[in-house]
Amino acid sequence: MTAAGCQSSQGRQSQPAVVRDLGRQPYEPVWRAMQRFTDQRDEDTADELWVVEHDPVFTLGQAGKPEHVLAPGDIPVVKVDRGGQVTYHGPGQIVVYPLLRLPRLGIGVRDYVCRIEQAIIDTLAEWNIGAERQDGAPGVYVGGAKVAALGIRVRRGCTFHGLAFNVAMDLEPFRRINPCGYQGLQVTTMVDLGGPSGMAAVKPVLLDNLARQFGLHLQPSSTQPDLSA
């Protein structure tokens, strides 16, 4: 299924992409590792997809307004170098960081965002959950409530940061912020929409849909990025 406005990837040779499942990790070491990977990669570096579940954290984008963080309490707030405003990451949420070279895939930034959204929409459809985009508000919505957020950065044609997909998580922290800068924005999870409660059921479906959207041949790896620096 290809959404209107997303270029077709048919006819392009599939590109290899290494998949690394990082498990549950604090936010900042993974962010710094993404930066290093992006800064050090060259034209021959294979693309990668990092899959992670983060400890509780609020992240505020480059142009993010601190007033959208209402009452963080004991959850740390980290100012980061992605687009967008404030969002929450925590247990029960699948975060995927696509580390892709867009010129090699033959797509631009707008189409990149469109494809990520479509991969999430197609994943929800596997459980008969109808989802959609909203004009001017990147992400994926069900009945007006946000189930997945996007926050990206592109440097020299290479992407980092990515998507956060609410599977089965405590939504209370979202009440401590204006999610994505929108006062009163409703947030939901897959399990509340009748989907599975386990991350393990959703991850392979989401990765397969991302691979389909970007024309990638996924190569799982047990090697982890260096998160110690």
Side-chain angles (χ1 to χ4, degrees):
M1 176 178 176
T2 301
C6 291
Q7 297 176 11
S8 172
S9 59
Q10 291 181 349
R12 292 203 186 100
Q13 186 175 0
S14 124
Q15 297 286 339
V18 176
V19 178
R20 304 190 195 278
D21 192 328
L22 280 58
R24 180 166 165 176
Q25 299 287 346
Y27 179 83
E28 190 154 357
V30 179
W31 169 37
R32 296 303 184 189
M34 275 194 290
Q35 290 177 317
R36 288 193 300 275
F37 177 89
T38 304
D39 289 341
Q40 294 168 7
R41 69 180 300 173
D42 60 29
E43 291 186 3
D44 297 322
T45 303
D47 290 334
E48 299 198 2
L49 296 173
W50 293 2
V51 186
V52 65
E53 183 179 16
H54 282 306
D55 296 339
V57 65
F58 295 115
T59 65
L60 189 62
Q62 268 189 312
K65 298 178 179 178
E67 57 263 36
H68 290 308
V69 182
L70 307 176
D74 57 351
I75 299 177
V77 180
V78 181
K79 179 89 176 194
V80 298
D81 56 347
R82 60 161 173 79
Q85 292 286 331
V86 65
T87 195
Y88 170 69
H89 299 308
Q93 180 190 68
I94 297 176
V95 177
V96 181
Y97 296 125
L99 307 175
L100 310 179
R101 181 176 287 279
L102 295 183
R104 182 160 59 199
L105 298 176
I107 61 176
V109 174
R110 182 183 292 252
D111 196 43
Y112 171 67
V113 170
C114 182
R115 287 167 187 264
I116 291 179
E117 291 172 334
Q118 192 60 44
I120 298 166
I121 290 169
D122 290 347
T123 298
L124 288 161
E126 288 285 321
W127 285 274
N128 298 310
I129 300 169
E132 60 190 6
R133 300 174 175 83
Q134 286 192 4
D135 289 342
V140 175
Y141 301 79
V142 178
K146 197 164 198 171
V147 70
L150 271 66
I152 67 167
R153 178 77 187 270
V154 181
R155 184 184 292 166
R156 303 189 323 275
C158 298
T159 67
F160 59 114
H161 293 285
L163 69 97
F165 187 16
N166 304 339
V167 176
M169 64 188 304
D170 178 8
L171 297 178
E172 185 278 330
F174 284 102
R175 296 200 288 271
R176 307 187 197 184
I177 60 174
N178 290 328
C180 305
Y182 293 96
Q183 184 176 1
L185 177 66
Q186 296 300 303
V187 180
T188 189
T189 69
M190 258 192 107
V191 70
D192 291 336
L193 297 167
S197 60
M199 307 270 279
V202 183
K203 279 182 189 179
V205 179
L206 176 60
L207 287 169
D208 283 350
N209 280 313
L210 286 167
R212 187 175 301 111
Q213 285 297 321
F214 291 108
L216 301 175
H217 172 60
L218 301 184
Q219 301 175 337
S221 173
S222 59
T223 305
Q224 300 292 302
D226 181 7
L227 304 180
S228 63

